[in-house]
Amino acid sequence: MGDTRIKVRRRRQLRQLMLVLGSCLVLYCLFFILKSPSSVSQFPVDDGASPRLPWPWPLSGGSRRLSEEKLNNLSLGEAECRATFPGLTTQIDEVVAQGPFTLKNTGDGGPLQGRIKDGHIYILHAQRKADLSREMVNSRTSSLHQLHRAILTSPAPLPDTVFTLNFQDQPFGTAWTYSRQADPNMRPKDPNARSFLMPHFSFWAWDLPFIGSMSRATGAITSIEQHETWSSKIPRAVWRGTAWYNSVHSPQLRQKLLAATKNKPWADVQSLQWTGRGDRDATNALPIEGFCRYRYVVHTEGVTYSGRFQYHQMCASVVLTPPINWLQHTTHMVRPLFSSSMDLDNHPSGAKLKGLWITDRHRRTWPVQYPPDQANIIFVAPDWSDLGETIAWLEDHPRVAEGIARRQRELFVGGGYFSPAAEACYWRALMRGWASVASVNKTAVDEGRWAEREGVRYEEFTLSNGD
């Protein structure tokens, strides 16, 4: 009888112990689920799409503090580049993973083609300077200067290769280019059509009086951000641009922005009034650093990407934009908060508006949306119908707004992704990645074995620039 009572008591104790352990396990799992980056909201993704994984930046809101010496070091080795700027080469790695491709001769009427051999650049063929606009010539020259600097400062030899450099806004064929479609369903189906993203030409300089060199703009923005606080910034949304400069996907994007912000006290949105001197200056233009004096910066893509994006990302301001359609070499690092997930209780349409503008294309392109305490950018409706309400919500929640703005600058500036060091690292990774999968077509007799020509040395070419 005594033995029976002991056994019953032990079974009861065992059940109690298992209950306690089970409760602890549940609490443990809940804690890490809530803390995990996977707790961010995810859209259902269509079968066959290639969702972008969440950017692996610390979710605590903290940032690394890289020294000025490190940020200006143009001679970091490959391993040090990857350790210093994790995720920088994601766009290169994705295209390299597609495997080998064949590079064909584009001729003198196509993009510039050159070769890298023994650490030198040779121009095989290029469009004549007289056939290009001033901006096209400047962008081509700036990109070649960037490439040359990365080769010149490399601590290790770089592979010999033949390359195509497309300095046009629109990506096409197989080339180094400034942008590519963000939606995987919109990319070319040709297995040899590859867009390897290169840094924008403005990372060298932009020949506009309100922008100038990247080093000038970076210094001016830093000076503003060192003196401005969130409360001291102008509590309005700012934009300047050319109204008609839209893509075929959003043909009324900028006109709708002007209409949505007309006479609104929360907006400083103006179409640029060009002076007529070659569309290089405008009477109402702002110096590029001047946008950082505002709490909110409106970003619009153009025919494809917008080259001003990286300047806006240097600001400790909230960037507001429709979902981005064109990727530049660091665009994959943005962490969007969709306005449709915010409690826009001031909107006259109320809950009826929430999420109605999100399309399958948005879900494919940006399958992960981040909560306010993790985001570094805000995506608003493409017709700007919730722009005012989004800004009103942010004004009512200044700590949230300031956090989004701070995380943006901490990543791109504090993390060094727009630094000279990161730029040189990226160019060298681009050369290595491209050379690892590029196969040059040498079989066509009528091409005169184009890839084996010596070409014109870079130093000589830049003196005339194709004249």
Side-chain angles (χ1 to χ4, degrees), residues 121-414:
I121 303 172
Y122 299 83
I123 308 303
L124 298 176
H125 46 245
Q127 290 170 292
R128 295 185 309 159
K129 182 178 179 180
D131 295 334
L132 301 173
S133 68
R134 174 178 177 148
E135 183 168 88
M136 289 178 182
V137 172
N138 287 337
S139 62
R140 183 175 74 179
T141 304
S142 294
S143 292
L144 285 174
H145 284 330
Q146 289 173 284
L147 175 63
H148 179 251
R149 180 169 64 181
I151 294 173
L152 194 67
T153 58
S154 178
L158 293 162
D160 294 348
T161 191
V162 176
F163 65 90
T164 302
L165 193 154
N166 175 23
F167 49 88
Q168 307 277 8
D169 286 347
Q170 187 76 36
F172 59 87
T174 302
W176 300 351
T177 186
Y178 297 132
S179 71
R180 66 184 178 118
Q181 289 271 10
D183 180 359
N185 286 10
M186 299 293 290
R187 295 172 190 167
K189 305 304 180 185
D190 182 351
N192 284 319
R194 307 290 174 83
S195 294
F196 280 73
L197 297 185
M198 61 181 173
H200 192 251
F201 66 82
S202 62
F203 277 83
W204 183 267
W206 198 334
D207 185 26
L208 290 173
F210 42 85
I211 298 180
S213 69
M214 176 59 81
S215 59
R216 187 215 69 81
T218 301
I221 290 172
T222 297
S223 178
I224 287 175
E225 294 298 349
Q226 286 176 339
H227 295 91
E228 293 279 3
T229 63
W230 180 256
S231 59
S232 69
K233 290 196 173 194
I234 302 169
R236 304 172 78 190
V238 63
W239 181 84
R240 296 291 188 276
T242 305
W244 55 263
Y245 207 65
N246 298 305
S247 80
V248 294
H249 301 297
S250 304
Q252 296 294 314
L253 177 71
R254 299 183 178 205
Q255 289 91 334
K256 288 180 179 179
L257 172 64
L258 291 167
T261 56
K262 186 177 181 180
N263 298 326
K264 295 296 192 295
W266 46 264
D268 182 358
V269 171
Q270 302 176 36
S271 179
L272 285 172
Q273 304 300 312
W274 296 101
T275 61
R277 296 194 295 270
D279 282 355
R280 294 191 61 250
D281 203 358
T283 57
N284 59 339
L286 291 174
I288 198 65
E289 63 272 18
F291 289 83
C292 300
R293 298 189 186 279
Y294 291 75
R295 290 182 191 169
Y296 311 102
V297 179
V298 176
H299 170 65
T300 54
E301 294 179 302
V303 174
T304 54
Y305 69 98
S306 171
R308 291 180 298 175
F309 191 29
Q310 59 267 18
Y311 299 106
H312 296 337
Q313 290 177 299
M314 292 186 205
C315 301
S317 304
V318 176
V319 171
L320 300 154
T321 177
I324 296 170
N325 292 315
W326 294 89
L327 296 177
Q328 294 177 265
H329 81 288
T330 59
T331 310
H332 62 279
M333 298 180 185
V334 303
R335 284 182 154 183
L337 165 64
F338 281 68
S339 60
S340 58
S341 67
M342 299 163 66
D343 182 19
L344 301 180
D345 49 12
N346 293 324
H347 198 284
S349 298
K352 294 180 181 179
L353 183 70
K354 296 181 69 173
L356 295 181
W357 58 265
I358 298 174
T359 66
D360 289 341
R361 183 178 182 181
H362 298 143
R363 294 183 178 96
R364 283 194 306 270
T365 307
W366 300 101
V368 180
Q369 57 173 307
Y370 293 84
D373 63 344
Q374 297 177 15
N376 58 22
I377 193 171
I378 295 180
F379 287 172
V380 297
D383 63 358
W384 310 101
S385 57
D386 60 0
L387 180 61
E389 286 69 32
T390 301
I391 292 172
W393 188 95
L394 293 168
E395 284 292 282
D396 289 341
H397 300 80
R399 292 185 63 183
V400 174
E402 184 178 4
I404 293 171
R406 173 176 48 78
R407 278 187 293 276
Q408 173 175 256
R409 180 167 169 82
E410 283 182 346
L411 174 58
F412 293 105
V413 178

Side-chain angles (χ1 to χ4, degrees), residues 50-71:
S50 54
R52 185 171 298 101
L53 296 177
W55 169 241
W57 191 253
L59 297 181
S60 63
S63 68
R64 302 169 302 160
R65 295 296 178 188
L66 300 176
S67 67
E68 288 297 314
E69 181 181 6
K70 173 78 75 169
L71 295 177

